[in-house]
Coordinates of all heavy atoms in Angstrom, one line a residue:
Chain A
D243 N -7.4 16.9 -33.4 CA -8.4 17.6 -34.3 C -9.8 16.9 -34.2 O -10.8 17.4 -34.5 CB -8.0 17.5 -35.8 CG -7.8 16.1 -36.4 OD1 -7.2 15.3 -35.6 OD2 -8.3 15.8 -37.4
N244 N -9.8 15.6 -33.7 CA -11.0 14.8 -33.7 C -11.0 14.0 -32.4 O -10.3 13.1 -32.3 CB -11.1 14.0 -34.9 CG -12.4 13.2 -35.1 OD1 -13.1 13.0 -34.1 ND2 -12.7 12.8 -36.3
K245 N -11.9 14.4 -31.5 CA -12.0 13.7 -30.2 C -12.2 12.3 -30.4 O -11.7 11.4 -29.6 CB -13.2 14.3 -29.6 CG -13.7 13.8 -28.2 CD -14.8 14.5 -27.7 CE -15.4 13.7 -26.6 NZ -16.6 14.1 -26.0
F246 N -12.8 11.8 -31.5 CA -13.2 10.3 -31.7 C -11.9 9.6 -32.2 O -12.0 8.4 -32.3 CB -14.4 10.2 -32.6 CG -15.6 10.8 -32.0 CD1 -16.4 11.6 -32.6 CD2 -16.0 10.4 -30.7 CE1 -17.4 12.4 -32.1 CE2 -17.2 11.0 -30.0 CZ -17.9 12.0 -30.8
K247 N -11.0 10.4 -32.6 CA -9.7 9.7 -33.1 C -8.5 10.1 -32.3 O -7.4 9.9 -32.9 CB -9.6 10.1 -34.6 CG -10.8 9.7 -35.4 CD -10.4 9.9 -36.9 CE -11.7 9.2 -37.8 NZ -11.6 9.3 -39.1
A248 N -8.7 10.5 -31.1 CA -7.6 11.0 -30.4 C -6.9 10.0 -29.5 O -5.8 10.3 -29.0 CB -8.1 12.3 -29.6
R249 N -7.4 8.8 -29.3 CA -6.8 7.9 -28.4 C -5.6 7.3 -29.1 O -5.6 7.3 -30.3 CB -7.8 6.8 -28.0 CG -9.0 7.1 -27.2 CD -8.6 7.6 -25.8 NE -8.3 6.5 -24.9 CZ -9.1 5.8 -24.1 NH1 -10.4 6.1 -24.1 NH2 -8.6 4.8 -23.4
I250 N -4.6 6.8 -28.3 CA -3.4 6.2 -28.9 C -3.8 5.0 -29.9 O -3.0 4.8 -30.8 CB -2.5 5.8 -27.8 CG1 -1.1 5.6 -28.5 CG2 -2.9 4.6 -26.9 CD1 0.1 5.3 -27.4
K251 N -4.8 4.4 -29.6 CA -5.2 3.1 -30.5 C -5.3 3.6 -31.9 O -5.0 2.9 -32.9 CB -6.5 2.4 -30.0 CG -7.8 3.4 -29.9 CD -8.9 2.7 -29.3 CE -10.1 3.7 -29.3 NZ -11.3 3.2 -28.6
I252 N -5.9 4.9 -32.1 CA -6.1 5.3 -33.5 C -4.6 5.7 -34.1 O -4.3 5.6 -35.2 CB -7.0 6.5 -33.5 CG1 -8.3 6.2 -32.9 CG2 -7.2 7.1 -35.0 CD1 -9.2 5.1 -33.7
L253 N -3.8 6.3 -33.2 CA -2.4 6.6 -33.7 C -1.7 5.3 -34.2 O -1.0 5.3 -35.2 CB -1.6 7.3 -32.6 CG -0.3 7.9 -32.9 CD1 -0.4 9.0 -34.0 CD2 0.5 8.4 -31.7
V254 N -1.9 4.3 -33.3 CA -1.2 3.0 -33.7 C -1.8 2.4 -35.0 O -1.1 2.1 -35.9 CB -1.4 1.9 -32.6 CG1 -0.9 0.5 -33.0 CG2 -0.8 2.4 -31.4
H255 N -3.1 2.5 -35.2 CA -3.9 2.1 -36.4 C -3.5 2.8 -37.5 O -3.1 2.2 -38.6 CB -5.4 2.1 -36.0 CG -6.1 1.6 -37.2 ND1 -6.1 0.3 -37.5 CD2 -6.9 2.3 -38.0 CE1 -6.9 0.1 -38.6 NE2 -7.5 1.4 -39.0
E256 N -3.4 4.2 -37.4 CA -3.2 5.0 -38.6 C -1.7 5.0 -39.0 O -1.4 5.2 -40.3 CB -3.7 6.5 -38.4 CG -5.3 6.5 -38.4 CD -5.8 7.9 -38.2 OE1 -5.1 8.8 -38.0 OE2 -7.1 8.0 -38.4
T257 N -0.9 5.0 -37.9 CA 0.6 5.1 -38.2 C 1.2 3.7 -38.5 O 2.1 3.7 -39.4 CB 1.3 5.7 -37.0 OG1 0.7 6.8 -36.5 CG2 2.8 6.1 -37.3
G258 N 0.6 2.7 -38.0 CA 1.3 1.5 -38.1 C 2.1 1.1 -37.0 O 3.0 2.0 -36.6
L259 N 2.2 -0.1 -36.5 CA 2.9 -0.4 -35.3 C 4.4 -0.2 -35.6 O 5.1 0.4 -34.7 CB 2.6 -1.9 -35.0 CG 3.4 -2.3 -33.6 CD1 3.0 -1.5 -32.4 CD2 3.3 -3.8 -33.5
E260 N 5.0 -0.6 -36.7 CA 6.4 -0.6 -36.9 C 6.9 0.8 -36.9 O 8.0 1.2 -36.3 CB 6.7 -1.2 -38.3 CG 6.5 -2.8 -38.3 CD 7.1 -3.5 -37.1 OE1 8.2 -3.2 -36.7 OE2 6.3 -4.3 -36.5
E261 N 6.2 1.7 -37.6 CA 6.6 3.1 -37.7 C 6.5 3.8 -36.3 O 7.4 4.5 -35.8 CB 5.7 3.9 -38.7 CG 6.3 5.2 -39.0 CD 5.4 6.1 -40.0 OE1 4.8 5.3 -40.9 OE2 5.5 7.2 -39.9
L262 N 5.5 3.5 -35.6 CA 5.3 4.0 -34.2 C 6.3 3.5 -33.3 O 6.9 4.2 -32.4 CB 3.9 3.8 -33.7 CG 3.4 4.8 -32.6 CD1 3.3 6.2 -33.2 CD2 2.0 4.3 -32.1
R263 N 6.7 2.2 -33.4 CA 7.6 1.6 -32.6 C 9.0 2.2 -32.8 O 9.7 2.6 -31.8 CB 7.7 0.1 -32.9 CG 8.8 -0.6 -32.0 CD 9.0 -2.0 -32.4 NE 8.1 -2.9 -31.9 CZ 7.4 -3.8 -32.7 NH1 7.7 -4.0 -34.0 NH2 6.5 -4.6 -32.1
A264 N 9.3 2.5 -34.0 CA 10.6 3.1 -34.4 C 10.7 4.5 -33.7 O 11.7 5.0 -33.2 CB 10.7 3.2 -35.9
K265 N 9.6 5.2 -33.8 CA 9.5 6.6 -33.2 C 9.7 6.5 -31.6 O 10.4 7.2 -31.0 CB 8.2 7.3 -33.5 CG 8.1 7.7 -34.9 CD 6.8 8.6 -35.0 CE 6.7 9.1 -36.5 NZ 5.5 9.7 -36.8
I266 N 9.0 5.5 -31.1 CA 9.1 5.4 -29.6 C 10.5 4.9 -29.2 O 11.1 5.6 -28.3 CB 8.1 4.3 -29.1 CG1 6.7 4.8 -29.3 CG2 8.4 3.9 -27.6 CD1 5.6 3.6 -29.1
E267 N 11.1 4.0 -30.0 CA 12.4 3.6 -29.7 C 13.5 4.7 -29.8 O 14.4 4.8 -29.0 CB 12.9 2.4 -30.5 CG 12.0 1.2 -30.2 CD 12.3 0.5 -28.9 OE1 13.4 0.9 -28.3 OE2 11.5 -0.2 -28.3
A268 N 13.2 5.5 -30.9 CA 14.2 6.7 -31.1 C 14.2 7.6 -29.9 O 15.1 8.2 -29.5 CB 13.9 7.3 -32.4
E269 N 12.9 7.9 -29.5 CA 12.6 8.9 -28.4 C 13.3 8.3 -27.0 O 14.0 9.0 -26.3 CB 11.2 9.0 -28.2 CG 10.8 10.0 -27.1 CD 11.4 11.4 -27.3 OE1 11.4 11.9 -28.3 OE2 11.8 12.0 -26.2
F270 N 13.1 7.0 -27.0 CA 13.7 6.4 -25.8 C 15.2 6.4 -25.9 O 15.9 6.7 -24.8 CB 13.3 4.8 -25.8 CG 13.8 4.0 -24.7 CD1 13.6 4.3 -23.4 CD2 14.5 2.9 -25.1 CE1 14.1 3.6 -22.3 CE2 15.0 2.1 -24.0 CZ 14.9 2.4 -22.7
A271 N 15.7 6.1 -27.0 CA 17.3 6.1 -27.1 C 17.9 7.6 -27.0 O 19.0 7.6 -26.7 CB 17.6 5.6 -28.6
S272 N 17.0 8.6 -27.2 CA 17.5 9.9 -27.1 C 18.0 10.3 -25.7 O 18.7 11.2 -25.4 CB 16.6 10.8 -27.7 OG 15.5 11.0 -26.6
G273 N 17.4 9.5 -24.8 CA 17.8 9.8 -23.5 C 17.1 11.1 -22.8 O 17.4 11.4 -21.7
R274 N 16.2 11.8 -23.5 CA 15.6 12.9 -23.1 C 14.6 12.5 -22.0 O 13.8 11.7 -22.1 CB 14.8 13.6 -24.1 CG 15.6 14.5 -25.1 CD 14.7 15.3 -26.0 NE 14.0 14.4 -26.9 CZ 14.5 14.2 -28.2 NH1 15.6 14.8 -28.6 NH2 13.9 13.4 -29.0
R275 N 14.8 13.1 -20.8 CA 13.9 12.7 -19.7 C 13.5 13.9 -19.0 O 14.3 14.8 -18.7 CB 14.7 11.8 -18.7 CG 15.1 10.4 -19.2 CD 13.9 9.5 -19.5 NE 13.0 9.5 -18.3 CZ 13.1 8.7 -17.3 NH1 14.2 7.9 -17.1 NH2 12.2 8.7 -16.3
L276 N 12.2 14.0 -18.7 CA 11.7 15.2 -18.0 C 12.0 15.0 -16.5 O 12.4 15.9 -15.8 CB 10.3 15.5 -18.2 CG 9.9 16.8 -17.7 CD1 10.2 17.9 -18.5 CD2 8.3 16.7 -17.5

Side-chain angles (χ1 to χ4, degrees):
Chain A
D243 61 315
N244 183 339
K245 175 179 167 181
F246 301 123
K247 297 191 173 179
R249 296 289 289 267
I250 193 174
K251 62 188 175 183
I252 304 295
L253 186 66
V254 174
H255 180 66
E256 290 184 347
T257 313
L259 180 66
E260 290 315 315
E261 192 179 328
L262 203 67
R263 179 188 284 133
K265 286 185 178 171
I266 292 166
E267 292 294 341
E269 181 59 39
F270 175 60
S272 76
R274 278 188 291 265
R275 298 289 312 278
L276 190 75

